[in-house]
Structure formats: structure tokens, C-alpha cells
């Protein structure tokens, strides 16, 4: 029945203060208040409804996304929302759109690679959305290999301009979000050519479309690259294709914080590392780790609530069947994902601090922690997105057949989420960057340069020094193993940051104890999953492995009575979850049944096509009719 909490008996089992855990999850009392208020504002506004998305055509979906983006912007202006509140509103609207890239990449790229003068010119226009930006780096022929990009930017000293050109088909810009139909400007990455010399890839601000009638400017061939994976909401994003035909831009539209070109045509490399050209990717990768904890927690919330509602087998003398959440197999699949959602939350908090710290140091021209920041953002982005994509799919399977319904929210969540394993750095390519960082550290062992920070533990691998044979040859040959070592390094980061979180003051009855259980589940599940490596390297004995497995089962039993409360702590509205299986009151079956009849296919009892195709079949008329 509506209004009845079918999960009340589960909530009454909780052994900790859920409201206090909500604040831990949000990050602070202030963050909780903002999140709670904005999520409810979005959920209560019919202008932000999303339950009809699966029935829309791509063009309807795209136009609806434009409407929502405009409506969101109007809401932000009318309610005088702060930047923090506006970001939360865009988050809870939960619609992949050009605004993600405008705010998440275009603006950070100008802030990180633009001069003060360029920031003062372009940021006010971008903040007021008087221009809409995209990040045009990837091309048809190159994505991972940034230095292989073919678009050219040739300086013309006669006119003090750059000529942006796509010399080959493979140099076509391909994938940039927002490029296809909406963006008026791009940060375009191109091979800089000055005085006939190539100077590497740099970023340029290029206007794409008229601000009067939105038509592409001369020399631009631009459009959408077509439908993407599944029928999910990511098809509301206009990932685009763009070819430049000798497009001229003023010299002052090259982002010049890292390098400069003078009006005389002199190329000047300032004393900052050229890698700052990659700065926007560093920023986005750290935000993607926080996004992973959100996406995984959504899927875990759905699967946990449904596992408590679903009963299958086990009825004694006509009594109720067993809740599937009580099966040890269900717990061994679900609870490590619940622990991972919390683990990624906390390592994401730490990574946000690390990024802020490296950004502050860069402003003082202190580049000492940039390599570590790159390795951490690259590695944790790779680890958390892979685990989250796999975790969402596991949550779908944990919900049985109903998990495959769009109304479960899981198929779309998966379809929208999985490209995170590829964009912002393909996950294996990023792990190779971590491996390179680790091997560089090994090569420096024994020197005066002692490993510090997240690699301080490596002083204990001095014995590896002997294997510094032909580092480059060895690296390529052993890259598959080194990628595994990179994952292990990042897992150490996740576990250690979870432990550091537990060393902080954590208010609320039973809250710290619950987090300790989740931290132990995360760590012991890793030990269990990789016990072959731990045993073969002598890190643990078979007895240790057995004890770890026993302890893991015991920890699952400790989580069980608190599972519903632990996902309630995410404080997601039913609107944001977008899932009948994960609805707060657990009243699943009536909602599933009611939702089925809303499908357009049920608008008529006799389906379109019956008279044309089915009736002739049934009446055996098909044999005579020509097919
Ligand atoms: C919230 C927003 C929503 C987002 C929605 C999704 C939108 C998606 C957008 C995109 O996908 S944008 C495009 C993303 N593309 C990539 O991520 C490309 C990945 N490739 C690269 O980053 C680089 O090509 C590479 C793989 C790092 C290789 O770089 P390079 O060709 O220069 O060679 P290396 O020799 O490997 O590196 C040289 C040197 O520089 C260091 N380094 C590399 N990257 C960075 C960095 N980002 N920051 C700092 N330092 C970096 C690297 O460690 C090497 O250092 P040394 O070892 O020489 O000390
Ligand atoms: C949904 C989505 C949105 C995107 N949005 C944007 C955007 O807004 N702006 C933008 O510029 N780009 C965007 N991209 C592009 C994205 O950044 C690239 O697709 C990504 O960087 C991967 O590059 P790639 O496609 O060239 O993959 P490839 O590098 O071609 O990967 C193919 C395979 O080759 C392997 N591989 C590649 N190099 C090596 C190596 N050196 N050693 C071992 N293995 C290797 C990879 O591991 C992978 O298995 C988007 C992509 C997607 C899917």
C-alpha cells in the first residue's frame, strides 16, 4: 500500500545513527544541508521529470535535454543559487548534457592554461553562459596519444593569427561532448607550428558558431557522431565531429600560461612543465573518482533495498520465503560493493585535497608534487571507474530479471556510466602512466632522492634495485604485469585513505564502528580476491588466508542488520535513484505492475502490425501471399 514503509522492519534493525552517517557521506553538515535541499527541490519540480526518458526518440531526448538545461539555468538565476548549489542542482538533474563539459572541462581548461588576461576575458562570458564551450582534443585517429594529434595551428606573423586546419580525415575532431549541435566555442588542441617548426600540442580558443543564429562559422564542418551504446541518456549528449578548413583566429586565443608565441613569431616555453597543457584532464580525473562513488552507491542502494524486499525459496510451513539478502552468496556479492562505495567516497575526498594542494603549489611555481598528482588521479580514475562499471552490472544481476527492466534504473545507469572507463584517459593507458611513475621511483632507489608521499612505502623494495636492467625494454615486455602492480598501488591508496578517515573524529552512535566494518570488508575482500598473489609472494600464509575468509563472512553478518540504513545514508530521493526496485518504501510489486501499463506498447490492446503481419500468419494466408 502507498504510504506504508515496507522496509521499516529493516530500518529498525540499524545499530547506528543514520542521520550522522548522512553527514559523513555528504562530507560536512553544510554539504548535507545543501545536498538535501537541492535534491528535494529537483525531485519536487515536474520540470525535471525523467521517468519518460526511455520512451523518447533520440531527437526528442536531445531537445528535452536542451529544455532541462535551460530550465535548470533559469532555476539557478531565479533562486539566486550559489555556485555550490548550482553544481548540486546539475548533479541531481542527472542528465548527461553539454553543460557537463562546459562547466567540467571548458572552464577548468581556461582557468588552468589561460593567462590572467585570457581568464578575465573568457571566464565571465562562460560563467554567464553567454558562450557555451566544449573540450575538443580527441580526433578520429587519436585519443590516447595526445602528442599524435594532427590538427595544426600555424602562426601567420603577417596577420598575427593562427590558422587552424584539419589536414587529414583522421585529424577530424571526434567525440567532444557538446560539439555536435550546441557549443559556440571550443578549446581545440592542435599541433603548434611557428616559423616552420613544430612545437607540440597546445590549446586554442576557437569560436565554432555564430552567437546570432548558431550557424557554423566559415571553415567549420561540424555535426553529431551518431547514436552511442544502448538507448541510454548519454544519447542526449551531442558528441561531435569537426573539421577545420584553414580557420583563422587571433594570436591571443592560444592559451598561453604554459607557452607563448610573440607577435614577432617567437615561441617561448615558460618555466612551467609542458604537462600543464594536460591540466584539465588532471582536474576532471579527480572529479571522476567522486562521481564513481556516487554512481556505485546508486546501484548498491537499488540492489540492497530490492534484496531486502525480494523473497525466494526457504518458506517453512507456509511461512514467508527467505529474503534474498539473507543468502551468503548475495551478501558476498553485494556487501563488498557497499564497502567500495564508501571507500571511493573517502579516497575521492582525499584526491580533491591533493588536487587543491598541487594547484596551490603550481601557483607558487612549485611543481614538486605534479608527478605524484598525475599518477594518483590517473590511477584512481582507472581503478574506481573499472570497479564501478563492473559493480553496476553486478547490481543489475543481483536484482534478477527485474534488474533488466528500464524501470529498475540499472540498465540506464550502466549505459551512462561505462564510458567513464574510456573517456578522460583510457583506463589501461592511465595505469601504464602509474606503472611508469612506479618504475621511475624504483630506478631512483638508492639515490639521494628518497620516495615520499604515496610511494614512501617503496623504500622497502630496495631489492628491486638489482632489476634495473634495460628499463625501457623491460617495461614494454612486462607492461601487463606492471599494470597489475599499478592497480595494487592504487588499492593500497584506497585502503590507506579509508584507514586515515577512521582516524578522524567521527560523531554519531555506532557510525565509526560501521565504517570500520566496511573498511575491513574492503581490505579483506581484496585479500580474498588476490590471495594467490599474497600467498605466492609469501606475504601471507595459507592459515592467514583461511582466517581472512572466516573474518569476511563474520563481517558480512555484522553488516546485514545495518545494510538498509547504510544505503539510506546516501540520502538519495526516489527521483534521483530513478528506480522502482530501489524506492525508499520498498513497495516494489504494485509500482512495477503499474509502470508496465504506461509503456506505449500498451496504448492499444491489439498491437500495430497485427492485421498486416500476425492475422495472415494465424489464418494461414501467409502461404499464398508473397512475402
Ligand atoms: C565533470 C566533467 C564530465 C566529463 C564527461 C566526460 C568528458 C570526456 C572528456 C575527454 O575524454 S577529454 C580527452 C581525454 N583524453 C585523455 O585523457 C588522453 C589520455 N592521454 C594522455 O593523457 C597522454 O597522451 C599520456 C597518455 C599521458 C601520454 O602523454 P605524453 O604523450 O606526453 O607522453 P609521456 O611521455 O607518457 O608523458 C610525459 C611526461 O608527462 C607526465 N604527464 C603526462 N600526463 C600528465 C598530466 N596530466 N599531468 C602531469 N604530468 C603528466 C608523464 O608522467 C611524463 O612524465 P615523466 O615520466 O617524463 O616524468
Ligand atoms: C562518452 C565519451 C565522451 C567523450 N568526450 C570527449 C570530450 O568531451 N572531449 C574529448 O576530447 N574527447 C572525448 N572523448 C574521447 C576519449 O577521451 C577517448 O576515446 C579516450 O581518450 C580513449 O582514446 P582512444 O579512443 O584513442 O582509445 P585507444 O587509445 O585507441 O584505445 C584502444 C585500445 O588501445 C589500447 N592502447 C592504446 N595505447 C596503448 C599503449 N601505449 N599501450 C598499451 N595499450 C594501448 C587501449 O588500452 C585500448 O585497449 C569521449 C569519449 C567517450 C566514449
Amino acid at each position: 500500500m502507498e504510504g506504508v514503509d515496507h522496509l521499516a522492519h529493516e530500518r529498525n534493525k540499524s545499530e547506528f545513527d543514520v542521520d550522522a552517517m548522512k553527514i559523513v557521506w555528504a562530507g560536512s553538515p553544510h554539504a548535507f544541508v545543501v545536498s538535501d535541499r537541492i535534491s528535494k527541490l529537483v525531485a519536487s519540480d515536474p520540470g525535471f521529470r525523467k521517468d519518460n526518458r526511455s520512451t523518447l526518440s533520440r531527437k526528442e531526448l536531445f531537445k528535452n535535454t536542451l529544455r532541462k538545461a535551460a530550465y535548470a539555468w533559469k532555476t539557478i538565476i531565479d533562486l539566486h543559487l550559489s555556485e555550490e548549489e548550482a553544481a548540486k542542482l546539475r548533479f541531481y538533474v542527472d542528465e548527461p548534457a553539454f553543460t557537463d563539459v562546459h562547466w567540467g572541462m571548458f572552464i577548468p581548461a581556461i582557468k588552468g592554461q589561460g593567462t590572467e588576461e585570457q581568464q578575465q576575458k573568457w571566464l565571465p562570458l562562460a560563467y554567464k553562459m553567454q558562450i557555451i564551450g566544449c573540450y575538443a582534443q580527441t580526433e578520429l585517429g587519436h585519443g590516447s596519444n595526445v602528442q599524435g594529434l594532427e590538427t595544426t595551428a600555424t602562426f601567420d606573423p603577417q596577420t598575427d593569427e593562427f590558422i587552424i586546419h584539419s589536414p587529414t580525415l583522421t585529424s577530424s575532431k571526434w567525440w567532444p561532448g557538446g560539439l555536435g549541435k550546441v557549443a559556440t566555442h571550443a578549446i581545440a588542441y592542435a599541433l603548434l607550428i611557428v616559423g616552420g617548426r613544430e612545437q607540440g600540442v597546445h590549446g586554442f580558443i576557437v569560436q565554432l558558431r555564430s552567437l546570432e543564429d548558431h550557424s557554423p562559422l566559415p571553415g567549420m564542418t561540424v555535426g553529431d557522431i551518431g547514436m552511442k551504446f544502448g538507448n541510454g541518456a548519454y544519447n542526449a549528449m551531442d558528441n561531435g565531429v569537426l573539421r577545420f578548413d584553414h580557420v583563422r583566429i587571433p594570436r591571443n586565443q592560444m592559451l598561453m600560461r604554459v607557452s607563448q608565441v610573440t607577435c614577432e613569431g617567437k615561441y617561448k616555453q615558460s618555466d612551467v612543465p609542458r604537462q600543464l597543457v594536460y591540466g584539465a584532464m588532471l582536474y576532471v580525473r579527480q572529479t571522476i573518482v567522486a562521481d564513481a562513488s556516487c554512481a556505485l552507491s546508486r546501484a548498491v542502494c537499488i540492489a540492497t533495498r530490492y534484496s531486502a524486499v525480494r523473497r525466494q525459496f526457504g518458506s517453512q510451513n507456509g511461512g514467508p520465503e527467505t529474503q534474498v539478502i539473507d543468502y551468503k552468496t548475495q551478501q558476498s556479492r553485494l556487501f563488498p560493493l557497499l564497502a567500495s562505495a564508501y571507500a571511493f567516497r573517502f579516497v575521492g575526498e582525499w584526491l580533491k585535497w591533493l588536487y587543491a594542494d598541487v594547484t596551490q603549489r603550481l601557483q607558487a611555481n612549485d611543481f614538486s608534487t605534479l608527478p605524484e598528482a598525475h599518477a594518483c588521479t590517473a590511477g584512481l580514475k582507472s581503478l574506481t571507474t573499472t570497479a564501478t562499471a563492473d559493480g553496476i552490472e553486478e547490481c543489475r544481476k543481483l536484482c534478477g530479471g527485474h534488474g533488466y527492466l528500464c524501470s529498475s534504473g540499472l540498465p540506464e545507469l550502466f549505459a551512462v556510466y561505462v564510458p567513464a572507463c574510456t573517456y578522460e584517459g583510457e583506463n589501461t593507458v592511465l595505469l601504464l602512466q602509474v606503472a611508469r611513475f612506479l618504475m621511475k621511483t624504483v630506478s631512483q632507489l638508492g639515490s639521494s632522492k628518497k620516495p615520499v608521499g604515496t610511494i614512501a612505502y617503496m623504500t622497502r623494495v630496495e631489492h628491486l634495485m638489482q632489476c634495473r636492467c634495460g628499463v625501457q625494454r623491460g617495461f614494454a615486455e612486462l607492461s601487463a604485469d606492471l599494470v597489475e602492480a599499478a592497480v595494487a598501488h592504487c588499492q593500497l591508496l584506497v585502503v590507506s585513505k579509508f584507514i586515515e578517515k577512521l582516524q578522524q573524529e567521527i560523531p554519531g552512535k555506532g557510525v565509526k564502528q560501521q565504517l570500520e566494518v566496511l573498511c575491513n570488508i574492503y581490505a579483506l575482500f581484496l585479500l580474498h580476491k588476490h590471495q594467490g598473489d599474497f600467498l605466492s609472494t609469501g606475504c601471507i600464509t595459507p592459515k592467514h588466508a583461511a582466517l581472512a575468509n572466516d573474518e569476511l563472512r563474520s563481517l558480512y553478518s555484522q553488516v546485514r542488520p545495518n545494510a538498509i540504513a547504510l544505503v539510506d545514508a546516501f540520502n538519495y530521493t526516489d527521483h534521483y535513484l530513478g528506480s522502482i526496485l530501489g524506492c525508499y518504501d520498498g513497495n516494489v510489486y504494485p509500482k512495477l505492475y503499474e509502470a508496465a501499463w504506461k509503456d506505449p506498447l500498451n496504448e492499444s490492446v491489439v498491437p500495430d502490425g497485427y492485421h498486416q503481419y500476425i492475422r495472415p500468419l494465424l489464418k494461414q494466408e501467409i502461404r499464398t501471399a508473397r512475402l
Side-chain angles (χ1 to χ4, degrees):
M1 292 80 76
E2 276 309 310
V4 172
D5 181 358
H6 295 256
L7 288 170
H9 66 290
E10 287 291 338
R11 293 182 167 110
N12 293 335
K13 294 176 186 172
S14 167
E15 298 162 340
F16 68 97
D17 179 343
V18 182
D19 290 333
M21 186 68 89
K22 287 180 180 177
I23 289 170
V24 171
W25 179 261
S28 70
H30 167 76
F32 169 74
V33 167
V34 171
S35 284
D36 189 60
R37 182 161 52 83
I38 299 294
S39 68
K40 286 174 177 147
L41 180 148
V42 171
S44 62
D45 188 332
F48 293 124
R49 72 171 288 209
K50 61 181 187 179
D51 56 339
N52 62 339
R53 263 193 323 218
S54 60
T55 61
L56 300 178
S57 69
R58 188 185 184 203
K59 286 181 82 172
E60 290 166 335
L61 184 69
F62 179 72
K63 188 174 179 183
N64 190 44
T65 299
L66 300 187
R67 176 194 65 76
K68 276 190 182 176
Y71 187 66
W73 185 243
K74 184 177 181 306
T75 304
I76 289 165
I77 302 295
D78 291 351
L79 300 183
H80 307 292
L81 298 187
S82 67
E83 203 173 308
E84 176 190 15
E85 292 167 327
K88 277 296 174 192
L89 184 120
R90 285 190 290 269
F91 173 80
Y92 284 113
V93 166
D94 183 35
E95 191 96 12
F98 64 89
T99 42
D100 296 340
V101 184
H102 175 78
W103 294 99
M105 301 206 68
F106 181 74
I107 287 174
I110 294 173
K111 288 169 78 172
Q113 300 158 49
T115 61
E116 274 308 311
E117 187 184 351
Q118 289 172 323
Q119 293 187 46
Q120 282 160 16
K121 174 181 179 181
W122 293 100
L123 289 180
L125 295 171
Y127 279 125
K128 292 178 197 150
M129 292 204 83
Q130 288 168 342
I131 62 173
I132 297 174
C134 68
Y135 184 88
Q137 177 177 294
T138 301
E139 296 173 355
L140 191 58
H142 293 91
S144 290
N145 180 9
V146 177
Q147 292 309 317
L149 295 177
E150 298 174 83
T151 301
T152 56
T154 308
F155 181 62
D156 179 353
Q158 304 303 317
T159 61
D160 201 27
E161 294 172 317
F162 289 104
I163 302 165
I164 312 291
H165 184 58
S166 306
T168 60
L169 177 68
T170 49
S171 67
S172 307
K173 289 300 176 186
W174 188 275
W175 273 114
L179 171 64
K181 290 296 173 191
V182 178
T184 61
H185 289 71
I187 306 283
Y189 285 81
L191 175 62
L192 173 63
I193 300 169
V194 181
R197 284 191 62 188
E198 294 184 358
Q199 298 291 357
V201 170
H202 292 70
F204 300 83
I205 298 176
V206 185
Q207 184 169 347
L208 307 171
R209 292 180 168 92
S210 157
L211 293 176
E212 297 310 315
D213 63 7
H214 208 61
S215 57
L217 295 184
M220 309 275 182
T221 305
V222 61
D224 183 89
I225 63 172
M227 283 285 279
K228 294 169 285 273
F229 183 88
N231 201 24
Y234 217 104
N235 284 299
M237 175 77 84
D238 52 325
N239 298 91
V241 48
L242 166 64
R243 299 204 68 185
F244 298 102
D245 180 4
H246 300 93
V247 173
R248 288 179 171 267
I249 62 170
R251 177 171 56 86
N252 67 9
Q253 288 184 208
M254 170 179 153
L255 294 176
M256 291 206 198
R257 178 174 174 212
V258 179
S259 317
Q260 299 81 37
V261 174
T262 67
C263 57
E264 297 82 18
K266 288 270 176 289
Y267 175 70
K268 292 165 68 180
Q269 172 82 30
S270 50
D271 58 357
V272 298
R274 74 168 177 83
Q275 288 82 7
L276 278 186
V277 167
Y278 295 153
M281 294 186 277
L282 206 76
Y283 166 75
V284 178
R285 287 170 191 155
Q286 62 93 19
T287 66
I288 287 176
V289 174
D291 294 347
S293 78
C294 293
L296 184 55
S297 60
R298 279 176 73 172
V300 165
C301 183
I302 293 166
T304 301
R305 286 179 177 166
Y306 181 65
S307 295
V309 168
R310 185 68 169 176
R311 290 175 179 273
Q312 205 71 193
F313 298 112
S315 165
Q316 304 296 328
N317 308 320
E321 293 181 72
T322 302
Q323 290 170 278
V324 297
I325 198 170
D326 286 326
Y327 289 121
K328 286 300 180 189
T329 48
Q330 193 84 351
Q331 293 177 9
S332 66
R333 293 159 61 195
L334 178 60
F335 292 162
L337 296 176
L338 173 59
S340 300
Y342 276 88
F344 295 169
R345 191 73 169 184
F346 301 141
V347 78
E349 282 178 357
W350 169 77
L351 198 61
K352 186 177 177 184
W353 167 84
L354 182 72
Y355 178 77
D357 180 71
V358 76
T359 304
Q360 201 172 24
R361 290 168 183 264
L362 293 180
Q363 275 145 13
N365 280 351
D366 169 5
F367 311 113
S368 59
T369 60
L370 186 59
E372 180 180 42
H374 168 49
C376 289
T377 48
L380 289 170
K381 180 271 179 186
S382 179
L383 183 151
T384 56
T385 54
T386 295
T388 297
D390 295 347
I392 295 168
E393 171 58 1
E394 187 61 23
C395 286
R396 181 191 66 78
K397 291 189 279 189
L398 282 161
C399 294
H402 303 341
Y404 193 63
L405 281 168
C406 281
S407 60
S408 77
L410 290 163
E412 176 161 276
L413 180 57
F414 181 77
V416 168
Y417 188 78
V418 287
C421 298
T422 307
Y423 62 53
E424 219 47 67
E426 197 282 329
N427 280 357
T428 301
V429 169
L430 293 183
L431 287 173
L432 287 165
Q433 285 291 304
V434 180
R436 172 179 172 144
F437 174 67
L438 296 176
M439 291 311 286
K440 191 168 185 179
T441 304
V442 169
S443 68
Q444 293 166 346
L445 292 176
S447 71
S448 57
K449 188 173 169 45
K450 292 298 177 197
V452 295
T454 55
I455 46 172
Y457 71 90
M458 291 184 75
T459 48
R460 301 190 192 87
V461 289
E462 295 274 344
H463 64 285
L464 276 173
M465 282 175 47
Q466 288 70 39
C467 76
R468 286 188 294 172
C469 56
V471 174
Q472 277 312 324
R473 181 179 60 77
F475 189 95
E477 186 59 30
L478 296 174
S479 55
D481 304 286
L482 289 170
V483 155
E484 288 186 20
V487 171
H489 171 73
C490 296
Q491 288 289 17
L492 176 63
L493 266 182
V494 175
V495 173
S496 56
K497 296 312 169 188
F498 206 152
I499 293 168
E500 283 176 23
K501 181 72 180 180
L502 295 173
Q503 287 158 352
Q504 294 172 16
E505 182 62 35
I506 299 179
K509 177 182 87 62
V511 171
K512 189 168 203 170
Q513 288 79 347
Q514 287 307 314
L515 293 176
E516 282 167 349
V517 169
L518 292 176
C519 180
N520 292 338
I521 284 176
Y522 188 86
L524 289 176
F525 180 74
L526 282 178
L527 189 63
H528 170 76
K529 186 177 171 186
H530 301 285
Q531 61 184 292
D533 292 338
F534 284 104
L535 287 166
S536 63
T537 51
C539 293
I540 63 170
T541 65
K543 184 166 177 49
H544 290 148
L547 284 172
N549 295 343
D550 293 345
E551 178 60 15
L552 207 45
R553 278 195 300 277
S554 163
L555 289 165
Y556 292 158
S557 303
Q558 293 174 53
V559 166
R560 170 63 189 88
N562 299 288
I564 292 300
L566 284 166
V567 299
D568 285 350
F570 301 145
N571 200 39
Y572 292 145
T573 62
D574 283 351
H575 169 272
Y576 177 65
L577 274 184
S579 167
I580 287 176
L581 304 190
C583 58
Y584 183 84
D585 65 8
N587 191 23
V588 171
Y589 295 137
K591 288 186 173 105
L592 271 184
Y593 189 79
E594 183 191 339
W597 301 108
K598 291 178 183 167
D599 188 280
L601 210 53
N602 290 320
E603 282 164 3
S604 62
V605 176
V606 176
D608 290 352
Y610 163 74
H611 292 286
Q612 196 172 354
Y613 303 113
I614 301 299
R615 182 178 176 78
L617 199 65
L618 294 172
K619 298 297 179 192
Q620 298 305 308
E621 293 157 7
I622 204 81
R623 258 193 271 284
T624 52
R626 272 186 321 104
L627 286 177

